[in-house]
Amino acid sequence: MPEITMVEAVRQAMKEEMERDETVVVLGEDVGEYGGAFKATEGLFQQFGEYRVIDTPISESVIVGVALGMAIIGFRPVAEIQFADFITCGFDMIVNQTATLRYRTAGDMHAPMVIRAPSAAGVHGGLYHSQSPEAWFAHTPGIKVVVPSTAYDAKGLLKAAIRDEDPVVFFEPKYLYRRAKDEVPEQEFVVPLGKAKLLQEGGDVTVVTYGSMAPLCRNAVKTLEEEEDLSIELIDLRTIMPLDKDLIYESAKKTNRVVLVYEDHKTLGIGAEIAALLADELFEYLDAPIARVASPDTHIPYSPPLEEFYLPKKEDVIAAVHRVIEY
Amino acid sequence: MAVKTYPKEKLLKLYHDLLLTRQFEQRLSILYRQGKIVGGLYLSRGQEAIPVATCQHLRKDDFISPVHRDLGAFLVKGMDPGVLMAQILAKQTGPSKGKDSFLHAGSKELGIIPPTSILASTIPIAAGVAFGFKIRGEDRVAVSYFGEGGSNRGDFHEGLNFAGLHKPPLVLICENNKYAYSTPVEKEMAICCVAYRAESYGFEGLIVDGNDALAVYDTMEYAVNKAREGGGPTLIECMTYRISGHSEHDEAKYQPPEEKEIWKRRDPIENFRKYLTDRGQLDESEDQRIQTQIAQTLDKAVAFAEQSPYPPPEDALRHVFANEEPKYGDRHHI
């Protein structure tokens, strides 16, 4: 199996889906001849032409709105928001127009479309090229939210998202675009939405994570196992909404200790919801308070020492695991 | 110059649709006072000619994105009056099955994108529909309605810019009724006319008397034909006036009485009736026949809506995702 990067996986997913289904179109800023700011759409314009790969003005409201209009009449648009931070400018189109369409038409109309956006920090992007806005959308009924952490998952999940009948917001951690590299089969496959992945089994503590924090957690777990003889169960959520409660619960029942790791701001992030669910439904299984490792509630700074301070580190995960074990 | 003539049946259909719209709204006004409409009521009294006359030129497979004063567009586009009435009464038989209010109703089959309360937001969506028609090489048209108030939002400008770039078969209908809720047009924008904005995006902007049903009809005919033939978008600004408050609960004391009086004399339906009778296209018995037919239609529609059930409460959880089973976040799981 060839080893490819996450950005190449994203590109392959779009290419294959466009070849498979002529209603799939790609639109966004600089996605055409240039191939996208991160080259995720490279070659698609040359292969499919200007009516399948549509360059748009700097108009996020138009990118999402036009995609929605096309979805209503039978297209399957894949809209690219150049950086997840800019998604705010298309926020109304996603939250008030797209997410509600099925509901307010009682199922008569729906929006099978994907909104892709490179998200998260770690590349010195500063305040406007670093945010992780998944919680905003996970909080909105009617939208599915996906954040892959591997090239394999990125390809399989994006293909599933394009085929899905609901609108999917697909955040690609840009830190991993070229760092996440793995073997991806050449034959057809999809990774179903709504299913978390058990990265490794263990008995002492459950670590639940997703996106950019998944490789960091793998690393932390490796250290814990090698140096301390601990057995850690590691779960990558992959889909934030709908959340795979079953796998999280199953694991928490087994290990009785849970650490939640996410790059987004700590307060009211995805981890807050999972902690609340566990407290609600699995309280009697827990032997320790649930620990959260996340970023502080500040803006995401530019200068290397500031950004490094801001982001969760391997040591934070290790400390959190110690905390729940020693409780 | 030769005077344009119209087939009598087209004129009478337009007259019928105008009257149906007004009388439908009169019924709604009564139902509102009876407390049978649970939410707000936003009427098009005095500006019915805009949605009604423009939709005369549309086919069932064309798409419209109406706003809250376009009740006539729903009727002309083919929505059953009883079904529309049921929508407004929040009943299960309305298109949104009680999910959303008033005219927030759509129909894929009839080509109606449901309005939302975010004004002008449907312009980029309608532009997407029109762009899709263009890509597929279809001669279908998308029509987006909005007020002069909505034209101040970014979505209007982003949508028009996209339309100017790609020249899809899009017709933009601005209903300039001089008020955005209580704010007069002078406080909304520094120019007199929304139509001027079209030119800066690279396509034609036309201004028409929105209270002259035939003028609206003719202008729309031009724009729709142009769109179908690949001539791209047109913005038609229909100058009109909101004769009553923003909604039925708004007494609109901010509207000067003398201003209202001027516009009441410019009633689009009364004037069109006079046009027809002056030219011998409508006599009293024909008028009576149309009136009776409309009254019967509306009696039936009100009865249907009133007799329709409210939706079952648990339907509040349906239609969020394609998978109907509420799996997550429903309050009953605790």
Side-chain angles (χ1 to χ4, degrees):
Chain A
M1 271 192 285
E3 196 173 77
I4 60 169
T5 60
M6 183 187 280
V7 73
E8 172 63 14
V10 165
R11 196 190 67 78
Q12 279 185 14
M14 285 187 281
K15 178 180 185 286
E16 288 175 20
E17 290 307 295
M18 290 178 85
E19 282 169 345
R20 191 186 60 82
D21 178 354
E22 62 173 20
T23 68
V24 178
V25 296
V26 166
L27 70 163
E29 294 155 18
D30 309 301
V31 299
E33 207 160 358
Y34 183 66
F38 291 94
K39 300 293 170 196
T41 56
E42 195 165 42
L44 299 182
F45 179 87
Q46 289 74 9
Q47 184 178 350
F48 299 102
E50 60 175 332
Y51 286 148
R52 301 279 307 277
V53 185
I54 304 143
D55 268 324
T56 68
I58 299 176
S59 283
E60 282 74 14
S61 196
V62 143
I63 295 169
V64 183
V66 164
L68 176 56
M70 294 181 83
I72 286 172
I73 59 163
F75 288 88
R76 284 184 179 269
V78 182
E80 179 178 300
I81 302 294
Q82 199 160 64
F83 283 86
D85 311 69
F86 310 160
I87 210 164
T88 49
C89 303
F91 197 72
D92 168 68
M93 280 296 170
I94 302 173
V95 168
N96 277 323
Q97 315 299 329
T98 306
T100 57
L101 186 69
R102 183 187 293 280
Y103 194 73
R104 62 197 157 94
T105 61
D108 182 41
M109 291 170 152
H110 70 293
M113 56 192 263
V114 181
I115 299 151
R116 293 180 40 243
S119 70
V123 296
H124 313 304
L127 266 73
Y128 305 102
H129 295 76
S130 303
Q131 296 180 73
S132 296
E134 59 270 11
W136 299 345
F137 300 98
H139 189 66
T140 301
I143 305 172
K144 292 175 178 168
V145 184
V146 175
V147 191
S149 75
T150 66
Y152 178 90
D153 282 349
K155 183 171 178 183
L157 287 164
L158 183 54
K159 285 166 78 82
I162 292 169
R163 297 177 195 187
D164 201 85
E165 295 301 326
D166 292 310
V168 180
V169 179
F170 198 94
F171 289 115
E172 296 156 11
K174 64 175 106 46
Y175 178 79
L176 301 179
Y177 261 158
R178 289 183 170 80
R179 290 176 179 90
K181 241 184 189 177
D182 42 69
E183 288 189 343
V184 176
E186 279 171 329
Q187 59 270 37
E188 162 76 18
F189 73 100
V190 293
V191 174
L193 304 185
K195 294 276 175 219
K197 186 176 182 178
L198 190 60
L199 294 181
Q200 70 165 57
E201 288 189 50
D204 297 328
V205 177
T206 298
V207 174
V208 181
T209 190
Y210 64 91
S212 60
M213 291 292 112
L216 182 133
C217 286
R218 272 180 192 272
N219 212 340
V221 164
K222 195 163 171 266
T223 303
L224 282 163
E225 295 195 331
E226 283 172 4
E227 295 177 8
E228 305 183 35
D229 197 28
L230 285 167
S231 160
I232 312 284
E233 187 134 307
L234 183 57
I235 294 173
D236 179 357
L237 291 175
R238 304 195 291 196
T239 301
I240 304 302
M241 181 59 68
L243 196 61
D244 187 354
K245 289 200 306 185
D246 295 345
L247 188 62
I248 302 168
Y249 286 8
E250 202 183 300
S251 178
K253 281 179 183 172
K254 186 166 81 177
T255 64
N256 316 112
R257 291 178 170 83
V258 180
V259 173
L260 307 167
V261 185
Y262 51 108
E263 188 191 309
D264 193 10
H265 311 296
K266 186 174 188 180
T267 303
L268 296 169
I270 303 304
E273 176 59 25
I274 298 171
L277 281 170
L278 292 171
D280 267 354
E281 299 187 32
L282 248 61
F283 185 72
E284 65 272 28
Y285 288 94
L286 297 175
D287 288 344
I290 300 154
R292 279 183 291 161
V293 175
S295 296
D297 299 327
T298 181
H299 301 286
I300 306 157
Y302 168 63
S303 182
L306 297 179
E307 191 184 37
E308 200 184 323
F309 176 85
Y310 169 87
L311 285 169
K313 279 161 280 295
K314 181 180 158 187
E315 293 69 36
D316 299 326
V317 178
I318 291 171
V321 168
H322 286 156
R323 211 156 65 233
V324 298
I325 285 177
E326 289 154 17
Y327 178 76
Chain B
M1 200 175 83
V3 175
K4 187 175 177 185
T5 56
Y6 304 87
K8 187 175 176 181
E9 69 273 14
K10 286 200 171 177
L11 291 174
L12 290 185
K13 164 133 192 348
L14 177 55
Y15 178 65
H16 167 275
D17 292 348
L18 285 166
L19 264 187
L20 174 66
T21 302
R22 174 152 305 174
Q23 292 183 7
F24 192 114
E25 291 196 344
Q26 283 168 352
R27 298 283 180 118
L28 289 180
S29 200
I30 293 165
L31 290 165
Y32 183 80
R33 276 158 186 76
Q34 291 172 341
K36 289 174 179 167
I37 294 174
V38 293
L41 182 62
Y42 311 83
L43 300 181
S44 66
R45 200 180 296 138
Q47 50 184 90
E48 298 95 333
I50 303 165
V52 171
T54 49
C55 282
Q56 302 295 318
H57 299 289
L58 301 180
R59 305 190 309 234
K60 193 176 167 186
D61 70 343
D62 292 326
F63 262 72
I64 60 169
S65 67
V67 273
H68 55 290
R69 275 182 234 288
D70 293 322
L71 187 135
F74 287 80
L75 295 171
V76 181
K77 203 71 179 55
M79 190 168 282
D80 178 82
V83 170
L84 186 56
M85 197 70 84
Q87 163 72 20
I88 298 164
L89 265 58
K91 296 299 183 73
Q92 174 73 356
T93 48
S96 88
K97 294 186 165 50
K99 293 284 172 45
D100 204 357
S101 60
F102 191 49
L103 290 187
H104 291 196
S107 164
K108 200 170 180 180
E109 190 200 351
L110 300 174
I112 303 172
I113 298 168
T116 71
S117 298
I118 317 298
L119 299 176
S121 62
T122 40
I123 293 175
I125 301 167
V129 170
F131 185 64
F133 292 159
K134 181 182 168 169
I135 289 177
R136 289 187 190 145
E138 297 173 342
D139 71 338
R140 297 159 77 184
V141 173
V143 183
S144 191
Y145 295 83
F146 53 94
E148 87 289 346
S151 82
N152 300 309
R153 289 201 58 245
D155 287 350
F156 167 91
H157 296 274
E158 293 193 26
L160 261 68
N161 186 47
F162 184 86
L165 279 166
H166 291 282
K167 306 278 189 288
L170 176 70
V171 182
L172 297 146
I173 308 286
C174 176
E175 301 167 273
N176 184 342
N177 67 7
K178 313 293 184 284
Y179 283 90
Y181 204 147
S182 76
T183 306
V185 66
E186 297 79 20
K187 287 188 179 176
E188 293 183 60
M189 51 196 206
I191 53 173
C192 76
C193 307
V194 175
Y196 292 177
R197 292 176 165 169
E199 285 188 33
S200 64
Y201 293 110
F203 57 92
E204 202 174 7
L206 304 171
I207 297 171
V208 64
D209 178 353
N211 285 32
D212 180 340
L214 274 183
V216 175
Y217 180 92
D218 287 346
T219 312
M220 184 64 170
E221 186 174 35
Y222 163 78
V224 169
N225 287 342
K226 182 173 107 177
R228 284 203 210 287
E229 288 157 13
T234 308
L235 186 153
I236 303 173
E237 182 177 15
C238 304
M239 295 300 190
T240 186
Y241 186 78
R242 203 189 69 209
I243 214 78
S244 41
H246 168 62
S247 62
E248 286 292 271
H249 69 261
D250 172 20
E251 291 173 32
K253 289 183 177 156
Y254 47 82
Q255 284 178 293
E258 57 276 15
E259 190 180 85
K260 275 197 208 181
E261 281 312 309
I262 292 168
W263 283 91
K264 273 183 184 165
R265 288 198 292 276
R266 306 201 57 246
D267 185 284
I269 300 180
E270 288 307 316
N271 287 348
F272 189 51
R273 180 189 282 126
K274 188 168 182 307
Y275 170 93
L276 293 175
T277 49
D278 285 355
R279 281 159 185 76
Q281 301 283 340
L282 181 74
D283 59 27
E284 209 164 301
S285 69
E286 180 77 354
D287 195 11
Q288 198 52 53
R289 192 188 63 76
I290 294 171
Q291 303 260 12
T292 308
Q293 189 206 333
I294 287 172
Q296 284 168 353
T297 301
L298 292 175
D299 286 346
K300 221 174 100 188
V302 172
F304 172 78
E306 291 208 289
Q307 285 157 20
S308 291
Y310 280 113
E314 60 275 17
D315 262 19
L317 299 178
R318 292 189 61 204
H319 302 302
V320 177
F321 288 112
N323 181 349
E324 285 282 14
E325 217 177 311
K327 276 191 171 166
Y328 183 80
D330 84 81
R331 67 190 158 119
H332 306 294
H333 81 271
I334 298 171

